[in-house]
Amino acid sequence: MTARIDAVAQNANDFDARGVGITLSTRSILIATGVENRRPSIDAAAHRDALDRGLLRYCPICDGYEATGQAIGVIGADTHGVAEALFLRTFSDRITLVANEDFELDASDRGALEGAGIAFAPSALEQIDFSGEHVTLRLADATEMQFDTIYPALGSDSNNALAKQLGVELSDDRCIVVDTKQRTSISGVYAAGDIVMALDQISVAMGHAAIAATALHNDLRKLDGHTH
């Protein structure tokens, strides 16, 4: 059965998980609800096409090497945007940070960008155009800039509603805190993937899943009185 779980609750000896047309009773729960990247204001079809053509990217750790030597625009001028632009400087010396809204960088951030040879756009972003071979950014002051690819550095939102319902410990009220066996602060509840406070990578999530599955299996055996 495939269904969406909207509510979870802990009982004396188990958990209830409920959704539309489904109610489950279980002794353990593995939360792997992930996070969602905040997107620029782009319609769904254009967004998908831009991803497919490599004009839009979200993870410089995953694919920054694919943009080696390209003209790269980083959208988002807060500390996160500055950090992402500096990370991408490893792969290209043609990087411009573009504020997604009016924002004034502090002196230390400006100094870091200047020291790395990263440009800062003269005005905030107004529109993104993926219709051509390159990405065109139109700024609020009517300036147009073209890039080979852009990285939105707008942060992400954790899908932590179920974790909050259970009272699981979160880091900065966002991602789930786990031990080395992927156990959360609530006995019987495990977590894996991007929802965990760790590096958001498929390979990391797979490792989490293997560790969590093994720990969950062994913990259930102990509950059933098995010692070997």
Side-chain angles (χ1 to χ4, degrees):
M1 176 182 289
T2 300
R4 176 185 174 89
I5 298 298
D6 298 311
V8 290
Q10 185 176 20
N11 304 315
N13 299 310
D14 60 8
F15 300 90
D16 286 334
R18 297 186 179 88
V20 177
I22 184 172
T23 299
L24 300 174
S25 180
T26 178
R27 291 189 294 169
S28 297
I29 290 177
L30 172 61
I31 301 176
T33 47
V35 301
E36 295 183 25
N37 289 314
R38 295 173 189 155
R39 299 180 176 185
S41 181
I42 312 166
D43 73 75
H47 185 272
R48 181 71 261 174
D49 180 66
L51 284 174
D52 291 344
R53 293 195 290 146
L55 299 178
L56 175 66
R57 302 173 181 272
Y58 280 96
C59 182
I61 298 172
C62 307
D63 56 25
Y65 69 93
E66 294 181 6
T68 297
Q70 293 186 353
I72 302 172
V74 177
I75 311 299
D78 57 6
T79 300
H80 181 69
V82 171
E84 193 150 311
L86 291 170
F87 183 90
L88 283 162
R89 181 62 181 81
T90 304
F91 304 103
S92 177
D93 59 1
R94 297 190 292 155
I95 298 176
T96 301
L97 183 62
V98 183
N100 60 308
E101 56 187 25
D102 288 331
F103 187 88
E104 184 62 34
L105 290 176
D106 63 31
S108 62
D109 284 339
R110 281 191 175 276
L113 293 174
E114 290 172 2
I118 297 171
F120 187 54
S123 182
L125 177 65
E126 186 168 274
Q127 185 179 8
I128 305 175
D129 182 1
F130 291 112
S131 61
E133 293 185 3
H134 299 86
V135 187
T136 299
L137 301 186
R138 296 187 178 90
L139 308 185
D141 66 355
T143 299
E144 288 195 357
M145 308 183 76
Q146 283 200 332
F147 299 97
D148 297 310
T149 190
I150 61 168
Y151 280 86
L154 305 176
S156 59
D157 296 308
S158 300
N159 295 318
N160 57 22
L162 298 180
K164 286 186 173 181
Q165 289 175 26
L166 289 168
V168 167
E169 180 185 356
L170 302 175
S171 176
D172 298 328
D173 200 38
R174 296 186 68 252
C175 290
I176 297 175
V177 177
V178 296
D179 67 8
T180 57
K181 300 297 184 182
Q182 304 304 129
R183 300 184 184 101
T184 73
S185 59
I186 303 295
S187 179
V189 181
Y190 306 74
D194 294 351
I195 191 60
V196 172
M197 193 66 186
L199 186 65
D200 291 353
Q201 296 280 284
I202 293 173
S203 55
V204 174
M206 291 173 66
H208 287 174
I211 293 169
T214 304
L216 197 157
H217 175 86
N218 290 334
D219 290 347
L220 286 175
R221 282 176 54 82
K222 288 178 183 178
L223 286 174
D224 289 337
H226 298 289
T227 57
H228 301 289

